[in-house]
Amino acid sequence: IARVVFREIPAKTAAAARLATHPGVRVVFADDVAKRLMVEDEDVREAVTERFGADTYCLDGSLDRAALASRVFGDAEELSALNAIVHPAVRRAMLREVEQAREDGVRLLVYEAALLFEVGADSVVDHIAVVDAPVETRVTRAMARDGSTRADVLARLSRQLPAETLRQRADTVLENSGSLADLHEQADALYSRLVNGSSEARPTGSSAGGGAR
């Protein structure tokens, strides 16, 4: 099984979704995993409640994401506390996904995430692909996609590794400054390299910190 992790800037899923259209591919979205764990994982839920209060969850048991976001995203200490609870659980879930994909005969497991090196995701994959675009393009797209203000988008980007650093540490960079068709073409080419045997495993001790699995 080949494992590739996608870091899309900002967190868009177009390239990962394109890969999902190919045979033998399974895509896992880290954000969806985190949301699920914060509701379904008893240890995570207990830790979140203890740190941020019972009102973090609604009466029906769902997570009050708006309330939690308003508390943590303007406060580095609060955000760090939340990440310390959620990220280890997400990483454990990722490892389970790898094993399940292997058992199911999946040829390519794609893990789409906003954070890679920050949470150690690079250590359990074979290939890292970064989808990048100029800063202004990223900001404009994010504002149009979710209604965020320019300040909000820039604040989110400031909490992540710089694009230049990610590009240097990636095995593949997909350029997302053109059309969707252009991005799909690059994703298709990546699929061919990884699944058809023309890709190379990431060497142990590489600058990206990963190892062949």
Side-chain angles (χ1 to χ4, degrees):
I1 177 175
R3 290 159 289 171
V4 57
V5 63
F6 259 101
R7 167 64 167 85
E8 305 206 37
I9 312 173
K12 288 186 65 179
T13 60
R18 177 64 177 185
L19 285 175
T21 67
H22 290 282
V25 176
R26 176 176 296 170
V27 178
V28 177
F29 297 105
D31 189 52
D32 291 343
V33 173
K35 292 175 186 176
R36 175 177 57 79
L37 291 174
M38 293 180 72
V39 174
E40 299 178 3
D41 187 294
E42 292 184 6
D43 292 336
V44 172
R45 188 184 180 99
E46 180 179 348
V48 170
T49 300
E50 181 177 349
R51 179 63 176 79
F52 298 101
D55 57 356
T56 304
Y57 292 89
C58 302
L59 293 178
D60 63 1
S62 62
L63 179 69
D64 189 339
R65 299 191 69 215
L68 183 60
S70 66
R71 178 168 178 177
V72 304
F73 287 120
D75 188 315
E77 183 177 345
E78 294 283 77
L79 180 59
S80 178
L82 179 62
N83 288 342
I85 295 170
V86 177
H87 287 170
V90 171
R91 190 175 189 279
R92 290 192 296 271
M94 180 182 178
L95 293 173
R96 291 193 295 270
E97 290 284 356
V98 170
E99 292 307 314
Q100 187 62 55
R102 181 178 288 112
E103 292 177 10
D104 294 342
V106 171
R107 300 183 67 190
L108 177 63
L109 177 65
V110 179
Y111 193 77
E112 193 272 348
L115 301 176
L116 299 182
F117 306 104
E118 301 92 330
V119 299
D122 58 304
S123 67
V124 293
V125 298
D126 305 304
H127 196 94
I128 291 176
V130 168
V131 182
D132 194 16
V135 172
E136 284 304 316
T137 301
R138 290 183 260 152
V139 172
T140 301
R141 288 173 175 169
M143 292 172 62
R145 185 179 64 250
D146 54 29
S148 298
T149 66
R150 178 182 177 84
D152 286 341
V153 177
L154 291 174
R156 289 203 301 266
L157 293 176
S158 71
R159 292 190 290 267
Q160 301 170 2
L161 287 176
E164 294 76 11
T165 300
L166 291 167
R167 292 177 71 99
Q168 291 172 359
R169 300 180 71 174
D171 298 300
T172 297
V173 176
L174 278 66
E175 303 293 352
N176 195 17
S177 56
S179 67
L180 183 60
D182 291 335
L183 182 62
H184 284 176
E185 184 177 349
Q186 295 175 73
D188 292 345
L190 178 61
Y191 170 83
S192 294
R193 294 201 308 272
L194 293 174
V195 173
N196 295 335
S198 59
S199 64
E200 295 182 358
R202 304 173 69 232
T204 302
S206 70
S207 61
R213 293 290 194 273

